[in-house]
């Protein structure tokens, strides 16, 4: 039996696509890029994304090309990508940021016309559908993360179109896995429990502040340190996961570890609770979408088909950074802030900058990713903090002036 086949079978039943189990979504994305993109390939992506994903693209030997994004959700604005860019890209990588779907129908049409792969990053979007079809089934391949929706701190999938490709990718994956040790498995199993205990005992604030003071947090800012000279030197080894491991492993050190049955057993259990998790997320999204801080796009999406079961709810607020600090005093640490956009962060040596960076800059610096599972506490805290709603102050291009149309569940 291939490694992780029970978990993969569960995901295949949910999605209706062949799935390969991986210890993380980042490894799944690396596999997809290695399988469908030659070294030097130009990959169109949103600059409002986790920096880890930028390093995955670089590790695969590809050139990250930053796209214009929608000011409403931070995902690629396909219509604003210049024709000159479309003519030269070799693949498209979506984000489905916070679970809000990318404009996948338009992106798929473009990719089909150009004969290039559409790789879906569905790490934030396990329960998101477009026209009744799950995100992760539109493209050539899609990566999912169990660290997100079921808070596992391990686990992912690569969904592909057929069994032959799945078998090929299982072999490629096995070559990249590193052996597990009991100590790693215990730590992966116990860390989510420790985290939920800290929350239940209302210890988030003292624990977070102590870690900050002792320098125990992996990041001092929203972005990890780039270490540009070392990164330049690594390019000589690309494609290579090992060379880029210091960047790719940030926030998830076991991203390529072949976890044993202890971890996989726990993941099976967490997967069985996924639908309950999604139901609770929908309730939280419904609440947050009705607040003044929700973007119009979010509110309109919530109307006809019920709310999306988002991973995080993008609220748009003024003085976002100061507010994030104050929220810690309310026992809430909001992660998943991708600011500045990747082109401002990494520069032209490592990424091709977006031709229209304003929307990405604005969205990245105003979005507050709220956990829908803490919706009530979040609205209470934002009200007490008198958080002010942010709206773009620069002219929004006509084609992006209205939020995307409501999407079906
Ligand atoms: C958009 C996005 N894609 C992929 C990943 C990688 O997921 P994993 O931690 O399972 O490797 C992350 C991680 O936060 C992410 O934010």
């Amino acid at each position: 039996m291939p490694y992780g086949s029970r978990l993969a079978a569960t995901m295949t039943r949910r999605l209706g696509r062949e799935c390969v189990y991986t210890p993380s979504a980042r490894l799944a994305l690396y596999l997809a890029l290695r399988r469908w993109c030659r070294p030097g390939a130009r990959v169109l992506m949103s600059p409002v994304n986790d920096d880890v994903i930028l390093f995955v693209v670089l590790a695969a030997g590809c050139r990250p090309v930053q796209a214009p994004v929608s000011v409403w959700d931070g995902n690629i604005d396909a219509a604003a990508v210049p024709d000159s860019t479309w003519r030269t890209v070799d693949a498209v990588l979506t984000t489905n940021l916070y679970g809000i779907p990318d404009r996948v129908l338009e992106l798929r049409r473009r990719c089909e016309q150009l004969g290039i792969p559409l790789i879906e990053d569905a790490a934030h979007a396990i329960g998101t559908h477009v026209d009744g079809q799950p995100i992760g089934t539109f493209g050539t391949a899609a990566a999912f993360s169990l660290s997100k929706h079921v808070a596992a701190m391990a686990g992912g999938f690569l969904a592909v179109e057929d069994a032959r490709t799945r078998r090929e990718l299982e072999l490629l994956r096995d070559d990249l896995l590193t052996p597990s040790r009991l100590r790693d498995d215990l730590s992966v199993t116990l860390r989510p429990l420790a985290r939920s205990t800290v929350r239940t005992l209302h210890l988030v604030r003292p624990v977070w502040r102590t870690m900050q003071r002792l320098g125990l947090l992996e990041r001092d800012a929203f972005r990890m340190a780039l270490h540009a000279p070392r990164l330049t030197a690594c390019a000589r080894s690309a494609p290579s996961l090992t060379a880029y491991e210091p960047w790719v492993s940030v926030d998830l050190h076991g991203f390529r570890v072949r976890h044993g049955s202890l971890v996989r057993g726990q993941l099976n259990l967490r997967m069985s609770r996924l639908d309950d998790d999604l139901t609770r997320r929908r309730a939280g999204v419904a609440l947050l979408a009705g607040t003044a801080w929700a973007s119009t796009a979010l509110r309109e999406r919530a109307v006809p088909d019920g709310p999306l079961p988002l991973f995080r709810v993008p609220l748009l607020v003024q003085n976002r950074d100061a507010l994030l600090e104050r929220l810690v005093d309310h026992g809430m640490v909001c992660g998943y802030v991708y600011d500045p956009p990747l082109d401002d962060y990494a520069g032209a040596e490592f990424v091709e900058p977006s031709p229209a960076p304003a929307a990405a800059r604005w969205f990245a610096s105003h979005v507050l990713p709220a956990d829908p599972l803490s919706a009530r506490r979040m609205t209470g805290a934002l009200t007490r903090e008198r958080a002010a709603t942010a709206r773009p102050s620069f002219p929004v291009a006509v084609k992006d002036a209205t939020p995307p149309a409501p999407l079906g569940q």
Side-chain angles (χ1 to χ4, degrees):
M1 289 278 268
Y3 174 65
S5 50
R6 186 166 157 216
L7 282 160
T10 307
M11 192 60 180
T12 297
R13 277 195 298 280
R14 288 193 75 84
L15 211 58
R17 273 211 169 180
E18 295 283 332
C19 291
V20 179
Y21 172 73
T22 55
S24 62
R26 61 197 77 183
L27 188 70
L29 285 174
Y30 182 78
L31 285 170
L33 291 164
R34 292 293 290 121
R35 168 65 178 74
W36 280 282
C37 301
R38 60 174 169 75
R42 292 162 50 80
V43 178
L44 187 73
M45 63 189 286
S46 164
V48 189
N49 199 342
D50 192 352
D51 41 23
V52 164
I53 306 310
L54 167 72
F55 297 112
V56 169
V57 176
L58 292 173
C62 301
R63 172 87 171 151
V65 176
Q66 306 305 293
V69 304
S70 160
V71 77
W72 305 110
D73 57 31
N75 287 323
I76 297 175
D77 180 358
V81 176
D83 284 343
S84 54
T85 304
W86 278 122
R87 277 197 295 274
T88 58
V89 291
D90 302 294
V92 173
L93 173 63
T94 63
T95 321
N96 298 295
L97 190 62
Y98 305 131
I100 301 222
D102 262 89
R103 290 145 187 82
V104 268
L105 298 173
E106 196 177 341
L107 291 172
R108 181 170 67 182
R109 186 178 53 75
R110 280 281 186 172
C111 287
E112 279 171 0
Q113 272 169 2
L114 296 165
I116 61 174
L118 173 64
I119 299 172
E120 293 178 83
D121 183 346
H124 292 186
I126 237 177
T128 300
H129 290 66
V130 169
D131 289 350
Q133 184 180 336
I135 279 292
T137 59
F138 288 87
T140 317
F144 290 90
S145 170
L146 289 180
S147 298
K148 309 288 176 292
H149 275 281
V150 292
M153 289 185 165
F157 299 99
L158 182 65
V160 296
E161 284 174 298
D162 55 70
R164 197 170 57 86
T165 314
R166 170 181 51 79
R167 284 193 292 273
E168 194 189 315
L169 282 153
E170 279 165 354
L171 296 177
L172 199 55
R173 171 203 61 188
D174 291 347
D175 280 347
L176 293 171
L177 294 180
T178 54
S180 165
R181 288 167 307 186
L182 182 61
R183 195 169 164 275
D184 297 330
D185 279 14
L186 281 174
S187 130
V188 171
T189 310
L190 294 177
R191 277 174 63 211
L193 300 178
R195 196 165 59 173
S196 59
T197 309
V198 164
R199 279 209 190 112
T200 314
L201 298 179
H202 304 292
L203 293 175
V204 170
R205 177 172 170 261
V207 168
W208 182 260
R209 294 281 186 230
T210 306
M211 288 177 75
Q212 236 174 359
R213 250 175 250 130
L214 296 178
L216 293 176
L217 300 175
E218 232 177 338
R219 295 160 182 270
D220 293 334
F222 302 133
R223 297 300 193 187
M224 69 176 92
L226 189 67
H227 300 293
R230 271 168 59 201
L231 196 59
T232 305
C234 278
R236 283 193 288 275
S237 324
S240 161
L241 198 53
T242 307
Y244 286 83
E245 204 157 321
W247 294 272
V248 173
S249 65
V250 167
D251 305 327
L252 196 66
H253 292 260
F255 80 99
R256 60 187 296 194
V257 170
R258 188 186 181 100
H259 294 297
S261 50
L262 186 63
V263 171
R264 281 179 286 128
Q266 191 227 143
L267 292 179
N268 273 307
L269 194 67
R270 285 179 180 270
M271 278 286 280
S272 68
R273 298 191 203 130
L274 180 58
D275 286 323
D276 289 346
D277 177 273
L278 296 178
T279 303
R280 289 191 298 130
R281 281 175 192 280
R282 279 196 190 93
V285 173
L287 200 138
L288 288 166
T291 67
W293 308 289
S295 93
T296 323
L298 198 63
R299 247 175 283 152
E300 294 201 348
R301 277 204 175 119
V303 179
D305 306 295
L308 293 166
L310 299 179
F311 169 56
R312 290 289 182 271
V313 180
L315 303 178
L316 299 171
V317 293
Q318 290 174 25
N319 303 317
R320 194 269 322 272
D321 294 3
L323 198 52
L324 285 176
E325 268 300 308
R326 293 204 301 277
L327 284 175
V328 177
D329 295 333
H330 294 269
M332 276 175 291
V333 174
C334 300
Y336 306 96
V337 174
Y338 304 134
D339 189 26
L342 293 174
D343 35 8
D344 290 341
Y345 160 65
E349 180 185 350
F350 302 109
V351 308
E352 186 164 308
S354 162
R361 285 181 186 147
W362 188 87
F363 183 84
S365 60
H366 290 89
V367 68
L368 187 150
D371 184 350
L373 301 179
S374 308
R376 221 163 270 287
R377 283 178 57 217
M378 179 59 85
T379 45
L382 291 179
T383 306
R384 280 197 294 284
E385 291 294 341
R386 298 177 201 277
T389 306
R391 290 287 173 256
S393 53
F394 56 90
V396 174
V398 175
K399 57 177 167 281
D400 200 23
T402 47
L407 294 165
Q409 278 291 290

